[in-house]
Amino acid sequence: MSSSRKRGMRTARSPGASRFLSPRIPVTNGGTDRADQQTKNVWRGRLASQLHLKWIEVVLDSEYGMYVWPSALVLAQYIWFHRTLLAGRRVLEVGAGVSLPGVVAAKCGADVVLSDSAALPQCLENCHRSCAQNNLAGIPVIGLTWGEISPDLLTLPPIDIVLGSDVFYEPKDFEDIFVTVHFLMERNPKATFWTTYQVRSANWSIEALLYKWKLKCSDVPLKMFNADRGCLAGSNLPGRHSIQMLIITLDTDTSS
């Protein structure tokens, strides 16, 4: 999940389909029940042994970016399903927090940069901690605040894939997210934004913002990559939450 705050939405359709399999990662139920923050679930399975994933520490903290959220597991599942496409790809995770999707992408051979708000050093430190726990030395961690064109954003290397789990949480942040995503895609026209979000309100929509920022989006049914179940990779975090997977790209029909 992002370091910024969260909410729900609607949208379209796209790729995906295989088995996941799981790192041993303790996670708190940050998605909904804050009273249950002390509860930890452990992922077990093939992914742990294949990618040698270690524990990713979840720090008990009031900041949302310090927890693994249900949407992160779904995005990690999508990444694992497409793992053969990841080797050598240049990947940026935005609002990384605990960095589960980015860590999985790096273990699949991607050249990963992790980012979170420059105003939240504890979330940036959590990115470093997740890398250290998984023996991922040298992965850059940078401060990128949504909506701000910062020196770190301007000096980013070319990007193929942007990752973001549950970044669409707080409606007031939606446009700032699109400012950043649009900037990245203007500089990397073939890049794709892989994002998952938890539906929290049927009244929220990103359709107008997609049009405004010359972007288009496809919905990826969870069943296409075996993420349509309450228990995923040994964790019950997805539960009965309604989670969506989207692929966002530059709309070349309108970008001119």
Side-chain angles (χ1 to χ4, degrees):
M1 154 151 188
S2 151
S3 58
S4 294
R5 317 276 150 148
K6 308 188 177 260
R7 238 159 190 98
M9 228 161 52
R10 296 188 299 268
T11 349
R13 190 172 300 236
S14 166
S18 169
R19 298 167 55 189
F20 187 40
L21 346 59
S22 32
R24 295 176 47 205
I25 300 176
V27 292
T28 59
N29 189 5
T32 47
D33 187 3
R34 286 315 187 85
D36 194 35
Q37 286 176 352
Q38 301 289 340
T39 301
K40 293 185 177 182
N41 302 299
V42 180
W43 287 13
R44 299 182 178 88
R46 268 198 311 127
L47 186 58
S49 59
Q50 288 186 348
L51 298 186
H52 307 290
L53 279 165
K54 307 293 184 182
W55 293 77
I56 289 182
E57 184 175 2
V58 177
V59 179
L60 298 181
D61 189 280
S62 60
E63 176 51 55
Y64 290 171
M66 305 297 281
Y67 299 89
V68 175
W69 291 71
S71 295
L73 275 75
V74 174
L75 184 54
Q77 169 84 358
Y78 187 80
I79 292 165
W80 173 250
F81 174 71
H82 290 285
R83 59 194 178 278
T84 58
L85 304 178
L86 269 290
R89 303 296 290 278
R90 298 159 300 189
V91 173
L92 168 70
E93 184 176 4
V94 296
V98 180
S99 312
L100 174 59
V103 165
V104 173
K107 288 289 187 174
C108 290
D111 184 6
V112 173
V113 176
L114 299 174
S115 72
D116 212 312
S117 172
L120 296 170
Q122 70 273 35
C123 291
L124 296 173
E125 178 56 34
N126 222 18
C127 294
H128 284 295
R129 206 165 16 234
S130 292
C131 291
Q133 291 284 350
N134 285 280
N135 299 317
L136 294 171
I139 292 202
V141 176
I142 62 175
L144 290 184
T145 302
W146 298 331
E148 295 183 7
I149 309 302
S150 64
D152 279 331
L153 183 63
L154 289 169
T155 56
L156 271 174
I159 298 295
D160 298 309
I161 299 167
V162 180
L163 303 174
S165 66
D166 222 354
V167 295
F168 294 108
Y169 179 80
E170 194 68 62
K172 67 180 179 61
D173 294 328
F174 287 5
E175 184 145 31
D176 285 343
I177 296 164
F178 279 115
V179 168
T180 299
V181 171
H182 179 264
F183 179 85
L184 290 166
M185 291 190 169
E186 281 283 297
R187 301 187 77 180
N188 304 275
K190 295 184 179 180
T192 55
F193 179 28
W194 298 2
T195 184
T196 49
Y197 71 93
Q198 183 176 325
V199 178
R200 295 176 174 86
S201 171
N203 297 322
W204 299 114
S205 173
I206 61 171
E207 188 173 350
L209 289 171
L210 286 167
Y211 179 80
K212 176 179 178 179
W213 291 100
K214 299 180 173 62
L215 300 168
K216 61 183 178 181
C217 128
S218 308
D219 174 61
V220 185
L222 302 193
K223 66 182 179 181
M224 295 185 71
F225 55 104
N226 286 355
D228 58 334
R229 50 187 185 267
C231 182
L232 188 61
S235 171
N236 63 3
L237 254 189
R240 289 174 290 182
H241 303 306
S242 179
I243 297 171
Q244 303 293 318
M245 170 79 206
L246 304 177
I247 304 293
I248 295 176
T249 58
L250 198 63
D251 189 348
T252 55
D253 293 334
T254 61
S255 58
S256 57

